[in-house]
Amino acid sequence: MLDGLQRLGRLTLGWLNRLGRATLFLLRLLGTLGALGRRPGLIIKQLYSVGVLSLPIIAMSGLFVGMVLGLQGYANLVDFGATSSLGTVVALSLVRELGPVLAALLYAARAGSAVTAEIGLMKATEQLAAMQMMAVDPFARVFAPRFVAGFIAMPLLAGIFTAIGILGGYFVAVYQLGVDSGAFWSQMQAAVGLVDDVINGVVIKSVAFGWVANWIAVFEGYDAIPTSEGISRATTRTVVNTALVVLALDFVLTAIFFGV
Amino acid sequence: MSATAFSSRSDPSSESPLVTVRGLSFRRGDRIIFQNVDLDIPRGKVTAIMGPSGAGKTTLLRLISGQIRPDAGRIEVDGVCVHELGRKDLYQLRKRMSMLFQSSALFTDLTVFENVAFPLREHTRLPENLIRTLVLMKLEAVGLRGARDLMPSELSGGMARRAALARAIALDPMMILYDEPFSGQDPITMGVLIKLIRTLNDALGLTSIIVSHDVKETASIADYLYLISDGLVVDHGAPLALESSSSAWVEQFLHALPDGPMSFHYPAPSYAEDLALREEPPRA
């Protein structure tokens, strides 16, 4: 019993310690953002790496998720003769929940893990130390551009995921299942609100997820033990921790925006 | 820290040492790395710090360059106490010193040219044509002008180290710290590096600190040697003077003798105890 309590205490202290270090890391990173504004090239290069290169997986996943939503929605709505509401079901599911959440999870798996591995390897091969020895702050030159680029890319990717998902649902609904095209779009237009659904859903959620996903990815790389095993563990932690934090945060935001 | 402390290059004619270490103590966990160590690095010379693996040679370089802080003691570079500097002042000081890492530490996403241009682009506002000229001059000095467009992954170990050396002299530093520059190099590359380090030191008026355990190669270019082991400076002096040292430890290290004061075995409990062998009770 006492052993268990001790272990729990140690785990809690370790977790708090790590959270504290991650917070100090973030504060120092935010302190370098002013200087970063004068070098937009650094952000653009990273935007390509974390944003553009993530597009194929985001687009493909969005398409399939939308198509599945179309099929599942139709299978349920047909019993009630409400298949004309299929557009609403697909759009609300994607805009409020699946778009930002799945885009964030995919982002963590594709771009977040790459950022962690890249920074961890830079640490292991002494590239970060070399930078510091050249009086160049890695927070301004390496960490901040990746954080900012990811923060910008995340909402855009979530938007693209959602839009392509809706198109996927549309193609299945209209061309495979015979739902009326006009009903699909008009019902969606009538039910989906710009502020209530689009802003509160896909925009605010993906901004919040982008913040935590990139904070975790950059910090894990910085904090990685500079060995092959250490980098491997850090990369895994990035994906696992981002998934858990995104899902928990999604619950909180959903309760705030859509809770009754 | 006053701005004037960093405003001028070090004066090579000054008699005071460029680096002064006094009462340095440093430990990692329970392990003592340095215990009350004193040493001076003279200006304009090549000073080697030698010792067996794990003696703390690289740690000493990291302490001198302010990457880590000592537990006790004082480290001054050009009259400035390194570990009392804030980040901004430390970075100002580091613009005047360079380090050649054991792994070369080239930026893997940049070409050789871009690697050498990196510190120039970060710290100067020179026009691109002048940066190109400077980079080609540095690359010519290390014999890699023709390799400017190669990526680090396309370089041999020796070429990578030379490219890193070109990057290290890009800002014309007052001092270069070399961390095991010869390790893992073939004899020809080693000869090239030895010549380069000596030539660059003399031609550019640098101060060089070489950390190494390659005795012959290092002693051949060093003006002064420090031998460290078990957290202490065991001996120091000019290479020829140390050759005739009466210390058994120096004799063992400089001549690579397998047996001597430095034990072959890592400290361990008795062999019999480890193998769980019991002593037979004496027969009555």
Side-chain angles (χ1 to χ4, degrees):
Chain A
M1 176 69 180
L2 272 178
D3 280 355
L5 277 176
Q6 275 182 341
R7 203 172 304 129
L8 185 68
R10 263 199 304 272
L11 276 174
T12 310
L13 284 176
W15 184 81
L16 286 173
N17 179 290
R18 200 168 160 70
L19 184 65
R21 279 188 293 125
T23 306
L24 291 175
F25 171 87
L26 181 68
L27 291 175
R28 195 172 155 197
L29 188 148
L30 294 177
T32 64
L33 292 187
L36 191 62
R38 292 192 291 273
R39 303 183 68 181
L42 292 175
I43 300 175
I44 291 168
K45 189 178 171 193
Q46 293 307 319
L47 259 176
Y48 174 79
S49 176
V50 298
V52 176
L53 295 182
S54 299
L55 270 177
I57 189 173
I58 289 287
M60 290 299 289
S61 306
L63 184 70
F64 286 124
V65 168
M67 286 161 65
V68 168
L69 277 176
L71 287 173
Q72 289 283 11
Y74 183 86
N76 286 290
L77 291 174
V78 75
D79 294 339
F80 307 100
T83 54
S84 57
S85 299
L86 191 54
T88 306
V89 171
V90 169
L92 284 181
S93 305
L94 282 165
V95 167
R96 286 183 171 191
E97 291 298 332
L98 295 179
V101 171
L102 289 182
L105 297 181
L106 291 167
Y107 177 86
R110 220 272 341 155
S113 60
V115 165
T116 301
E118 187 187 14
I119 294 174
L121 268 173
M122 288 182 81
K123 187 178 178 183
T125 53
E126 296 182 307
Q127 292 179 54
L128 296 181
M131 211 172 265
Q132 286 175 315
M133 276 306 297
M134 282 185 261
V136 176
D137 187 2
F139 277 78
R141 188 66 175 66
V142 177
F143 308 147
R146 282 161 178 78
F147 178 80
V148 172
F151 183 63
I152 295 170
M154 186 66 246
L156 299 175
L157 292 172
I160 291 168
F161 182 99
T162 306
I164 293 180
I166 291 171
L167 284 179
Y170 171 81
F171 285 123
V172 166
V174 175
Y175 295 109
Q176 187 181 338
L177 303 172
V179 175
D180 180 65
S181 171
F184 185 92
W185 291 120
S186 62
Q187 291 268 348
M188 186 191 303
Q189 198 178 358
V192 179
L194 177 67
V195 175
D196 287 348
D197 300 311
V198 178
I199 303 289
N200 284 347
V202 78
V203 176
I204 292 181
K205 279 188 174 180
S206 60
V207 164
F209 298 162
W211 181 273
V212 293
N214 288 291
W215 177 19
I216 290 171
V218 178
F219 175 71
E220 288 293 354
Y222 165 79
D223 203 45
I225 297 167
T227 60
S228 41
E229 192 195 359
I231 295 166
S232 147
R233 281 171 183 258
T235 311
T236 306
R237 271 200 308 272
T238 290
V239 178
V240 172
N241 290 349
T242 304
L244 292 175
V245 174
V246 161
L247 293 171
L249 196 56
D250 182 49
F251 170 75
V252 174
L253 292 174
T254 302
I256 292 170
F257 295 135
F258 307 108
V260 180
Chain B
M1 179 54 55
S2 69
T4 52
F6 304 116
S7 61
S8 61
R9 284 195 58 151
S10 119
D11 177 8
S13 62
S14 170
E15 300 247 323
S16 63
L18 183 63
V19 179
T20 312
V21 177
R22 291 289 176 269
L24 170 66
S25 295
F26 183 77
R27 59 169 66 217
R28 214 170 247 135
D30 293 334
R31 193 174 158 232
I32 294 168
I33 310 289
F34 294 114
Q35 198 171 17
N36 204 24
V37 164
D38 294 344
L39 52 86
D40 292 325
I41 307 292
R43 290 171 196 266
K45 307 281 187 197
V46 176
T47 304
I49 295 161
M50 304 175 76
S53 298
K57 304 185 294 295
T58 302
T59 304
L60 184 58
L61 288 190
R62 295 183 66 200
L63 284 159
I64 290 172
S65 57
Q67 294 177 58
I68 47 177
R69 288 167 191 266
D71 294 327
R74 193 171 173 82
I75 301 167
E76 288 186 6
V77 175
D78 205 18
V80 177
C81 185
V82 176
H83 49 92
E84 286 176 0
L85 295 176
R87 191 181 303 130
K88 204 175 263 183
D89 287 334
L90 182 61
Y91 276 12
Q92 285 299 320
L93 180 65
R94 280 187 186 161
K95 287 181 189 171
R96 302 164 64 213
M97 58 166 90
S98 283
M99 185 161 172
L100 186 74
F101 287 84
Q102 192 173 355
S103 62
S104 299
L106 291 170
F107 302 127
T108 46
D109 58 334
L110 301 180
T111 62
V112 169
F113 183 97
E114 293 299 326
N115 262 284
V116 181
F118 183 86
L120 293 167
R121 293 213 168 105
E122 290 291 326
H123 295 306
T124 69
R125 293 176 182 272
L126 296 172
E128 193 53 35
N129 59 347
L130 193 50
I131 285 183
R132 183 175 181 276
T133 305
L134 284 171
V135 171
L136 292 183
M137 284 168 67
K138 305 298 177 187
L139 285 173
E140 175 71 11
V142 299
L144 288 182
R145 192 166 42 84
R148 73 188 102 165
D149 295 325
L150 297 181
M151 296 301 286
S153 59
E154 297 173 289
L155 303 177
S156 67
M159 286 168 78
R161 221 152 285 186
R162 281 194 278 159
L165 187 52
R167 186 177 68 180
I169 58 172
L171 288 174
D172 294 329
M174 64 173 176
M175 172 171 77
I176 301 187
L177 313 172
Y178 295 90
D179 186 9
E180 300 282 4
F182 313 120
S183 70
Q185 302 300 317
D186 63 71
I188 295 172
T189 307
M190 219 181 254
V192 169
L193 288 169
I194 288 169
K195 185 170 176 292
L196 268 177
I197 292 171
R198 185 74 247 186
T199 308
L200 287 174
N201 189 81
D202 297 343
L204 303 178
L206 303 170
T207 298
S208 302
I209 305 176
I210 304 176
V211 145
S212 178
H213 50 212
D214 294 295
V215 177
K216 206 175 125 203
E217 292 76 15
T218 309
S220 71
I221 49 165
D223 298 306
Y224 204 82
L225 297 181
Y226 277 96
L227 301 180
I228 60 173
S229 180
D230 291 331
L232 300 167
V233 173
V234 179
D235 209 344
H236 59 98
L240 277 178
L242 286 181
E243 277 286 330
S244 52
S245 169
S246 57
S247 159
W249 189 95
V250 175
E251 171 81 4
Q252 185 191 4
F253 184 76
L254 290 183
H255 298 102
L257 304 176
D259 206 6
M262 212 182 314
S263 173
F264 169 73
H265 289 288
Y266 193 81
S270 85
Y271 196 28
E273 197 180 301
D274 247 5
L275 295 178
L277 297 176
R278 283 189 201 157
E279 281 184 29
E280 290 290 324
R283 285 182 188 168

